[in-house]
Amino acid sequence: MGLENTCTLREGRKPVPVRVHLDSDRLEIRGGARRDILFKAVESAAAMPDGTLQLKHPGGPTVLRFADAKTAAKWAEKIRSPKTLVDKLGLKPGLRVAVLGITDQDFLAQAAARLGGGLAMKPGSGLDLVFHAADSAAELAELADLKACLQPAGAIWVVSLKGQAAKIKDTDVMRAARAAGLVDNKVCSFSATHTALRLVIPRAAREAGKSK
């Protein structure tokens, strides 16, 4: 989902109110103006004592005015040092991970590098994370079987097409998750074309399993 806020944008003489959102690789500005500024294109991001955030990039200087200097400084740091996709997805060395049906080469390369190559391409047992490509009801129906592959604190990331190309909705994923005994607790932009929703075993169910 990323960081979100409201502020004013100044690129000319008249400031305009906007909504700002940090995606995985860009700053999105919406509302009174529409801009997408890639992090990799930002040459500098400086927070000022008056709450302004000054961005220098090839598209020209962009100045955002937040409510306070602390907020501006937080946004400046996140733009200068954004989390990588695998950071947001919780991939850490030593985790047991399965990747099912996902062909995104950037993700696969990042995941293999983070895990030292330890990626399974089929379900296993005692898994910490499962990445499951799902764009149909039939693929969502596999969640119950995938749940059985998780260790109690593990998670399933359902990766689906987003925007106008989407074949299923988040509500479809959530409904299928509940039917499988799972709950959703995080969403992440997976790529320019895909979104990811994290599903976990409810805490109450995990605690009940321990007591048996």
Side-chain angles (χ1 to χ4, degrees):
M1 188 173 293
L3 198 64
E4 296 182 334
N5 211 317
T6 57
C7 60
T8 56
L9 168 70
R10 190 175 77 240
E11 289 184 330
R13 292 183 178 181
K14 185 179 179 180
V16 294
V18 294
R19 301 185 309 276
V20 287
H21 170 75
L22 287 182
D23 208 331
S24 58
D25 64 345
R26 71 194 64 205
L27 169 68
E28 298 176 344
I29 301 172
R30 300 292 185 266
R34 186 182 182 92
R35 308 278 188 279
D36 284 340
I37 302 173
L38 293 174
F39 296 149
K40 63 183 180 181
V42 174
E43 299 165 14
S44 65
M48 300 292 107
D50 64 353
T52 59
L53 171 60
Q54 299 180 357
L55 303 177
K56 184 180 178 182
H57 57 95
T62 296
V63 179
L64 299 170
R65 178 72 177 268
F66 290 93
D68 53 68
K70 183 178 179 180
T71 301
K74 181 178 181 179
W75 279 69
E77 178 59 27
K78 288 187 176 295
I79 291 171
R80 288 193 298 261
S81 304
K83 285 187 176 181
T84 65
L85 175 60
V86 292
D87 288 331
K88 293 182 177 183
L89 295 171
L91 278 164
K92 299 176 182 178
L95 292 185
R96 293 160 293 178
V97 178
V99 178
L100 311 175
I102 296 172
T103 58
D104 186 290
Q105 294 304 308
D106 287 341
F107 165 72
L108 293 175
Q110 288 185 46
R114 177 61 57 87
L115 299 172
L119 285 175
M121 295 300 175
K122 60 182 180 179
S125 60
L127 295 172
D128 297 297
L129 292 173
V130 175
F131 293 90
H132 176 53
D135 286 299
S136 68
E139 288 164 333
L140 290 177
E142 298 174 24
L143 289 175
D145 290 337
L146 294 179
K147 174 189 172 186
C149 297
L150 295 176
Q151 56 99 342
I156 299 170
W157 281 100
V158 174
V159 179
S160 307
L161 287 164
K162 65 182 179 181
Q164 294 183 345
K167 298 178 180 178
I168 57 174
K169 299 178 181 179
D170 284 350
T171 52
D172 296 324
V173 181
M174 295 173 188
R175 189 180 305 112
R178 290 194 296 270
L182 298 162
V183 294
D184 63 285
N185 68 353
K186 186 176 182 181
V187 64
C188 176
S189 178
F190 188 83
S191 69
T193 57
H194 286 72
T195 186
L197 191 65
R198 185 173 68 184
L199 311 176
V200 298
I201 300 170
R203 184 181 295 275
R206 282 182 270 162
E207 294 299 326
K210 291 179 183 178
S211 62
K212 291 181 180 180

